[in-house]
Amino acid sequence: MEKTIRKWFMVWDFEKEEEWLNEMALSGWVLDGVGFCSYHFSRCEPGEYTVRLEMHPQDEPYLQFMRDTGAEYVGRMLQWIYFRKKTTEGSFDLFSDIDSRIAHLNKIGRMLSLVGAANLIIGMANTFSPARLGWVNLLCATLLMYALGRIHGKKEALEKERRLHE
Amino acid sequence: MPDSLALTESTYYILLALHTPQHGYGIMQQTEALSGGRVRLAAGTLYGALNALCDKGWILPLPVEDGSRRKEYKLTEKGLQVLRTEVKRLRELADNGERILG
């Protein structure tokens, strides 16, 4: 049995997205594929899988490394990749220290800045074009900058922690 | 970065596990066993650390043998030095703690 759920999460809510996917797995629906704002599930035993996601560029050696540790690659949506692992094969986490969590947030931050800057430039260029569609890009740039701020806030909290713990 | 800085717990256990050459999953299992289940290296963290340690020249990947797709790593002479220095530093920390707290 399969089902598809349309849902979307803000980029700074990636932990909530992961939480939701794990709640689905606990209720017997495991992530089987991802699309744009859509999630495909198939039936599983409740709690059979742990699901994890992260922003990571195209990187075949990494996927192979993950498979070697017993994780299954579920799919990719833009820069986000999704994994799942059977709970019987042991605990499953992507990051186990503060440093690598900060590195992950930096990766997200860099992506947001890049896309944000591109929208800003396109937006300004198009403001003076006859089509007058520049505002769309400027709006996107504003949203992306806001997202960057949220990610930065998360990073600062971790950095504060990092001063005392590793 | 000077190499005399303290190692993170992850780095320390990865280097220690690589005293005998092995692949990523082996490092995760050995770290968990050595620390009595306290330290669990997550796959993403380990992958990033392995690449960083290769760049530093503290470990190196072994040529992949036919029939085995898992990449194995080994500690280099430099890595061993770093590890010995760190053990000395940790001993100092523990000794001082015990001396003062009794």
Side-chain angles (χ1 to χ4, degrees):
Chain A
M1 217 161 57
E2 288 174 17
K3 71 173 171 184
T4 297
I5 296 181
R6 301 210 150 266
K7 199 173 167 74
W8 75 317
F9 290 90
M10 292 299 190
V11 64
W12 57 85
D13 278 338
F14 64 92
E15 285 141 331
K16 282 190 189 147
E17 179 182 356
E18 193 177 82
E19 218 171 277
W20 174 67
L21 291 170
N22 281 303
E23 279 164 17
M24 289 296 291
L26 267 181
S27 63
W29 289 100
V30 66
L31 188 69
D32 213 20
V34 284
F36 188 70
C37 296
S38 71
Y39 300 84
H40 313 294
F41 298 91
S42 59
R43 268 286 180 207
C44 69
E45 290 298 318
E48 192 184 344
Y49 286 95
T50 310
V51 183
R52 297 283 177 235
L53 58 95
E54 70 172 305
M55 178 176 275
H56 200 101
Q58 202 88 35
D59 183 358
E60 189 46 47
Y62 182 57
L63 297 187
Q64 190 53 54
F65 182 86
M66 294 300 291
R67 287 188 195 107
D68 291 345
T69 66
E72 289 172 53
Y73 167 67
V74 177
R76 155 186 295 279
M77 189 58 235
L78 300 173
Q79 289 288 306
W80 292 90
I81 43 180
Y82 297 77
F83 297 103
R84 65 185 190 193
K85 185 176 171 179
K86 289 212 164 167
T87 43
T88 48
E89 296 221 5
S91 65
F92 181 36
D93 278 302
L94 293 177
F95 307 112
S96 51
D97 59 17
I98 300 179
D99 288 329
S100 52
R101 283 194 188 96
I102 292 176
H104 182 228
L105 290 173
N106 278 333
K107 216 183 274 179
I108 300 174
R110 272 197 300 277
M111 182 54 59
L112 291 173
S113 322
L114 204 71
V115 183
N119 270 287
L120 193 65
I121 294 167
I122 298 169
M124 287 196 295
N126 282 354
T127 305
F128 308 104
S129 77
R132 301 238 172 251
L133 278 172
W135 64 272
V136 179
N137 292 100
L138 290 178
L139 188 68
C140 282
T142 312
L143 273 171
L144 286 160
M145 289 305 136
Y146 175 74
L148 187 64
R150 293 291 294 254
I151 293 293
H152 189 74
K154 274 178 192 280
K155 204 179 90 179
E156 273 190 336
L158 283 181
E159 277 169 349
K160 204 168 163 189
E161 184 76 14
R162 183 67 180 86
R163 267 176 241 140
L164 298 177
H165 302 284
E166 67 166 64
Chain B
M1 285 281 177
D3 286 351
S4 58
L5 285 178
L7 300 182
T8 65
E9 205 168 72
S10 310
T11 312
Y12 181 72
Y13 269 119
I14 293 168
L15 292 178
L16 207 54
L18 287 178
H19 196 249
T20 354
Q22 55 190 320
H23 51 72
Y25 196 44
I27 299 172
M28 289 163 83
Q29 287 171 316
Q30 205 184 336
T31 298
E32 197 172 333
L34 281 172
S35 66
R38 188 180 61 84
V39 182
R40 290 206 175 117
L41 290 174
T45 299
L46 175 60
Y47 186 78
L50 286 174
N51 287 337
L53 289 171
C54 284
D55 290 345
K56 274 239 173 222
W58 294 357
I59 63 170
L60 54 91
L62 293 175
V64 180
E65 288 169 36
D66 291 341
S68 156
R69 55 201 175 89
R70 289 182 176 184
K71 206 193 238 178
E72 288 198 320
Y73 298 85
K74 69 174 269 204
L75 197 62
T76 62
E77 198 48 48
K78 199 172 165 198
L80 186 63
Q81 275 312 318
V82 172
L83 203 47
R84 287 198 195 285
T85 311
E86 181 67 1
V87 171
K88 215 186 282 173
R89 190 189 70 86
L90 291 171
R91 186 172 297 127
E92 177 213 295
L93 292 183
D95 285 351
N96 279 329
E98 274 167 12
R99 190 170 50 81
I100 291 175
L101 299 178

